Amino acid sequence: MQDAKEALGMLKMSSQLLPNHDLITRTLARREAVHSSQIEGTRTQLPELFEYEVTGGEGLPADAGITQRYVQALEFGLASYRQQGSRAALDERLVKQLHAELMRDAVEVYRPGEYRLMQVWIGQGRRIEDATFVPPPPEYLAECMSAFVRDLLQYTPVEEEQGELSIVAQLALAHAQFETIHPFVDGNGRVGRLLLPLMLAAEGYPPLYISGFLLRNRRDYYDTLSATQLRGDWAPWCTFLAEAVTQACRSAIAIAQDMTALEQRWQRQLEVLGLRRDAAALKLPRLLLAQPVVTVRQVEQELGISFPTANKALDVLVRCGILSEPAQRRHRVYHARELLDRLSQD
C-alpha cells in the first residue's frame, strides 16, 4: 500500500510539470477505454478507436463503438465531478448515469441506467445452482448501493476512528464491493473500473487508469476479487490492487514523458524545413498528442484553417515520416504511427 501511495504522489507531481498534461490525459483515457473493454472481450485496438472517433466508424468493427461509449462515460463522469468539485458528486445518480452512457445502445433487457430487476449469477453454467457467486437479489440493491455510496464513494474519515483509510485501500474496497453488489444486468465491470479514476480525481490526483495492468493479469484479477466474495479473504486483492496502482502510475509517467519528448522531436524536424512561423504544419505535433489519428477535415476544424491548407500541412508531416496513411478508405486517415506504437506498449 505504501508503494502505491508514493507512486500516486509521484504521478501528481509529474503531471504538474507536464506542458501538455490535458492533451496527454485525453489520449491516456482512450488507452484505458480500450483496455477496460478488452477485459470484457472486445477486440478493438487503440488505433481503431481513434479512427472511429474521426470517421464515424466506417470499415471498423462494431466493438469500436462499444469502446467509444466507454470514453464518453468516462468524460461524462469527470465533467460531472469537476462541476461539483467534491466527493459528493460521486452519488447513486452518477453511477446510474455512467451505466446509461456506457450502455445507451444496448438492448432493452440491459436497462441502461437502471438497477436490475432480476437475479443474476456469476459462473459458466446456465443454472444458478452451478454459479460460483450469486450477488444480492434485486430487492436488496437499493439498500446495498446506498451503503456503498455513503461508506466508500463518499468516504469521510470519522474522528473517533483509530485511523482513516488510505485512498488505495478505498479503491480496493470500493471496486470489490461494487462488483459484489453487481447492481446492473450487464456492464458492472466497466462501471466499477470507471469509478476508480473518479475517486482519485475527487482526492486531487490526476485520473489514473489501471485497466492495462488488470488486462495483463486478468486471471489474478478475477481470482483475488473472487476470494473476497467467496471467502472474505481481502489481503490478496488489496495487495494486487495496490500493485496495479503502483505499476499504472509508473507507466503513466513514462508514457507522458515519452509523448512530450516525441512532440518536441517532431517540432524540431519541422523547424529545420524553414517553414513560416505561422505555418499550419508547426501546429500539428501538439494536436497529435491528443489525437494521433486525424483526417484533413478534422485538422481543418481543429486549427480553423481551410481544407487545402490542412491537406498541405498533413502532406508535410507525411514527407517527414511523422504521419502515414495505413489504408485507402473513403476518408483519408493519417496515423502518427510512432506515438500509437508507444501507447500500445505495456
Side-chain angles (χ1 to χ4, degrees), residues 174-190:
H175 189 60
Q177 187 69 358
F178 184 83
E179 299 309 316
T180 299
I181 297 171
H182 219 74
F184 303 110
V185 176
D186 190 35
N188 294 281
R190 283 170 289 169

Side-chain angles (χ1 to χ4, degrees), residues 9-197:
M10 289 294 294
L11 177 67
K12 187 174 184 178
M13 182 175 64
S14 175
S15 68
Q16 294 170 348
L17 300 175
L18 287 174
N20 295 304
H21 174 254
D22 290 344
L23 302 180
I24 292 171
T25 298
R26 181 188 186 280
T27 297
L28 293 181
R30 280 145 181 80
R31 190 173 184 262
E32 168 72 4
V34 168
H35 290 155
S36 187
S37 300
Q38 286 177 346
I39 291 173
E40 304 302 325
T42 67
R43 297 185 179 182
T44 296
Q45 301 298 316
L46 188 57
E48 292 173 325
L49 172 59
F50 280 117
E51 277 201 35
Y52 185 94
E53 291 189 317
V54 298
T55 66
E58 181 183 343
L60 296 169
D63 279 356
I66 296 174
T67 305
Q68 208 268 334
R69 286 193 290 276
Y70 190 99
V71 173
Q72 293 172 330
L74 178 58
E75 291 180 340
F76 175 85
L78 289 170
S80 298
Y81 153 71
R82 288 167 183 148
Q83 187 174 17
Q84 190 161 339
S86 72
R87 285 187 75 154
L90 309 184
D91 56 14
E92 278 193 78
R93 180 170 172 267
L94 178 60
V95 173
K96 289 182 175 182
Q97 288 174 322
L98 291 175
H99 186 260
E101 284 289 321
L102 194 66
M103 308 293 290
R104 57 190 168 88
D105 296 326
V107 293
E108 189 173 333
V109 69
Y110 291 144
R111 291 172 52 82
E114 299 294 336
Y115 296 150
R116 55 183 167 84
L117 297 176
M118 64 180 73
Q119 181 64 61
V120 296
W121 57 90
I122 311 299
Q124 299 299 319
R126 295 187 176 183
R127 304 186 310 157
I128 193 170
E129 292 83 2
D130 300 324
T132 55
F133 175 70
V134 180
E139 59 265 30
Y140 291 100
L141 291 179
E143 180 182 353
C144 289
M145 286 301 297
S146 177
F148 167 74
V149 169
R150 181 189 67 241
D151 298 337
L152 291 170
L153 282 192
Q154 297 179 347
Y155 169 78
T156 303
V158 179
E159 291 182 6
E160 292 79 18
E161 291 181 355
Q162 293 293 322
E164 64 180 87
L165 289 173
S166 70
I167 182 60
V168 182
Q170 293 174 47
L171 296 176
L173 293 173
H175 189 60
Q177 187 69 358
F178 184 83
E179 299 309 316
T180 299
I181 297 171
H182 219 74
F184 303 110
V185 176
D186 190 35
N188 294 281
R190 283 170 289 169
V191 173
R193 290 187 291 274
L194 278 167
L195 292 173
L196 301 181

Side-chain angles (χ1 to χ4, degrees), residues 194-305:
L194 278 167
L195 292 173
L196 301 181
L198 299 184
M199 291 176 66
L200 284 165
E203 288 298 310
Y205 293 101
L208 178 68
Y209 305 120
I210 68 170
S211 290
F213 181 91
L214 301 182
L215 178 64
R216 294 191 299 275
N217 299 276
R218 187 162 22 181
R219 186 71 268 158
D220 288 340
Y221 175 33
Y222 293 153
D223 288 348
T224 55
L225 200 53
S226 178
T228 70
Q229 298 167 335
L230 301 179
R231 301 188 298 276
D233 187 0
W234 284 89
W237 164 247
C238 290
T239 300
F240 176 81
L241 198 281
E243 180 65 15
V245 170
T246 302
Q247 295 299 330
C249 286
R250 292 172 180 170
S251 176
I253 292 170
I255 291 175
Q257 290 173 342
D258 289 348
M259 290 177 69
T260 299
L262 191 56
E263 188 258 347
Q264 291 171 347
R265 176 156 59 80
W266 288 341
Q267 205 70 49
R268 290 194 298 270
Q269 283 180 251
L270 295 172
E271 287 171 356
V272 299
L273 298 179
L275 302 171
R276 290 171 45 184
R277 294 182 63 182
D278 61 347
L282 293 175
K283 302 175 184 177
L284 282 175
R286 188 172 185 273
L287 175 63
L288 293 174
L289 287 182
Q291 302 176 45
V293 175
V294 292
T295 62
V296 181
R297 187 68 65 189
Q298 183 192 17
V299 170
E300 174 191 17
Q301 294 171 351
E302 291 288 341
L303 299 185
I305 56 180

Side-chain angles (χ1 to χ4, degrees), residues 291-346:
Q291 302 176 45
V293 175
V294 292
T295 62
V296 181
R297 187 68 65 189
Q298 183 192 17
V299 170
E300 174 191 17
Q301 294 171 351
E302 291 288 341
L303 299 185
I305 56 180
S306 68
F307 187 92
T309 301
N311 195 44
K312 290 178 181 178
L314 288 167
D315 285 343
V316 171
L317 270 68
V318 169
R319 291 198 301 272
C320 290
I322 297 171
L323 291 175
S324 62
E325 289 187 78
Q328 291 297 326
R329 298 196 180 101
R330 178 183 172 187
H331 301 281
R332 293 180 66 189
V333 180
Y334 298 84
H335 283 203
R337 174 50 54 193
E338 194 171 2
L339 175 52
L340 290 169
D341 287 346
R342 176 62 185 92
L343 292 168
S344 298
Q345 295 174 13
D346 292 342

